[in-house]
Amino acid sequence: MTATAPTTAPALSAAAGRRPLLAIDSLSVQFRLPDASVHAVTDLSLTVRTGELLAVVGESGCGKSVLAHALLGLLPGNATITGHAVLHHPDTKPVDLVTCGQRHLARTVRGRRVGLVPQSPATALNPVRTGRRLLAETLRVHGRDRADADRLAVDVGLNPADLDRYPHELSGGMAQRLVTALALAPDPSLLIADEPTTGLDRPLVDHTLDLLRRRCDTGAAVVLITHDLAAARRVADTVAVMYASRIVEHQAADRLFAAPTHPYGAALLDALPDRAFRPVPGHPPMLTALPTGCAFAPRCPRRTDTCATQPPLAQTGDGATVACHHPIPAGANT
């Protein structure tokens, strides 16, 4: 994995007044294959602030999970990452998660200052240790009382008695709640939750989302990676819409759900059951063959010849940003 030297990432005015915690600047991730390159994340810039819950939404395969793994140095050896992701702390020097190296990430960042709720809990749990032992060891390493294991289990909606089971004895939903408890055990200032409600029924989905929301209300920050727009609408402060490896829209959640600016954001909302319940037409491009222009243009009802060139991510004047040659005017329909 290779990287470049740090610069300063731009702040997002939508969360003005909160201290920047994570500043991502021009982050790109490519995977080298024998006969192609996968452009998984392209020129991504975001700022996450203390007390903020940022939801990153988009169709499967758009690069959301790769973003999470890039921030924590969990990419495979055929990955090349450029750009910067600077993690701030009031008592220590800022650290660039891209350039600091695996040793620093493992010793001081991953599972400490930044927690991860993985998308696939079954592969993240040690199969020969019970949930209680996994949780107790995590608490001990971080100087916390092992007796907190039961409390953490209750916090995530898991029966404490289920901690005495091995991972293969847990249902998918139980395993999901266990990895959430493990991620919360060190009390990280930033939590990256990658599809944390997978396998949960509706009451537990709401329970988990409310738990994430409460973390932000106490000053921590959460990046919620999800394809569930209802989840984002329930708890997010800001929403970044990702399409074909790029952020195409980023604005306050209430404004986005009321009046999306990018045609793709509008199409995602129209697919919701409580709206038009109309699927987004067509298919996203392959990440090995991204077009030179707007990747959404073949599916977009507002496309023109101008869309053959890549639109820049530009501010709209109210703290929001959008990458579109023909953004949707306020109050207009697509």
Side-chain angles (χ1 to χ4, degrees):
M1 186 171 69
T2 59
T4 58
T7 58
T8 302
L12 179 69
S13 60
R18 295 168 173 166
R19 174 175 58 83
L21 180 61
L22 176 66
I24 305 173
D25 181 19
S26 303
L27 186 74
S28 294
V29 178
Q30 294 185 29
F31 296 105
R32 300 180 303 278
L33 301 179
D35 56 353
S37 291
V38 178
H39 298 267
V41 176
T42 304
D43 198 24
L44 186 148
S45 295
L46 289 171
T47 297
V48 184
R49 297 172 181 270
T50 55
E52 178 183 1
L53 197 154
L54 165 68
V56 182
V57 304
E59 292 168 289
S60 296
C62 68
K64 303 187 301 296
S65 293
V66 173
L67 169 62
H69 291 169
L71 294 175
L72 289 172
L74 298 175
L75 297 176
N78 67 333
T80 298
I81 177 171
T82 59
H84 316 285
V86 179
L87 184 66
H88 296 272
H89 191 279
D91 301 324
T92 61
K93 292 182 179 179
V95 56
D96 191 333
L97 303 180
V98 175
T99 62
C100 68
Q102 282 293 329
R103 178 174 295 184
H104 189 81
L105 283 172
R107 289 184 174 180
T108 67
V109 176
R110 194 163 54 223
R112 291 168 171 79
R113 294 172 60 183
V114 182
L116 173 66
V117 180
Q119 186 175 13
S120 301
T123 61
L125 297 172
N126 189 324
V128 298
R129 295 183 180 179
T130 65
R132 184 174 301 283
R133 184 175 175 186
L134 290 169
L135 195 49
E137 288 180 352
T138 302
L139 290 166
R140 178 185 57 79
V141 166
H142 296 283
R144 300 185 62 185
D145 192 335
R146 294 187 183 189
D148 286 342
D150 283 2
R151 181 186 58 77
L152 274 170
V154 172
D155 284 348
V156 299
L158 188 65
N159 187 329
D162 291 326
L163 291 178
D164 297 314
R165 300 186 182 191
Y166 289 92
H168 73 273
E169 298 176 312
L170 301 175
S171 69
M174 290 176 180
Q176 185 68 53
R177 282 170 275 167
L178 177 57
V179 294
T180 300
L182 289 167
L184 293 174
D187 193 24
S189 58
L190 174 64
L191 181 69
I192 301 173
D194 190 0
E195 303 288 0
T197 59
T198 300
L200 304 184
D201 58 24
R202 193 71 242 176
L204 282 172
V205 167
D206 293 342
H207 179 96
T208 300
L209 294 174
D210 292 344
L211 175 65
L212 300 179
R213 179 67 261 171
R214 289 195 299 273
R215 285 197 62 78
C216 295
D217 293 341
T218 61
V222 173
V223 176
L224 171 62
I225 296 173
T226 183
H227 67 275
D228 186 348
L229 292 176
R233 180 169 52 187
R234 180 182 175 92
V235 295
D237 296 301
T238 54
V239 178
V241 180
M242 200 166 180
Y243 183 77
S245 83
R246 294 181 181 271
I247 296 295
V248 296
E249 181 170 6
H250 183 203
Q251 64 170 314
D254 56 351
R255 291 201 298 266
L256 183 136
F257 283 100
T261 305
H262 196 282
Y264 177 61
L268 282 180
L269 295 184
D270 279 346
L272 290 173
D274 60 349
R275 300 209 181 187
F277 206 27
R278 181 173 59 238
V280 184
H283 302 280
M286 295 180 62
L287 297 183
T288 55
L290 292 177
T292 56
C294 174
F296 187 62
R299 310 170 73 182
C300 182
R302 301 174 65 85
R303 66 182 178 273
T304 67
D305 292 343
T306 307
C307 302
T309 60
Q310 179 64 47
L313 190 65
Q315 290 200 359
T316 63
D318 56 0
T321 54
V322 62
C324 184
H325 291 299
H326 309 294
I328 302 171
N333 296 316
T334 56

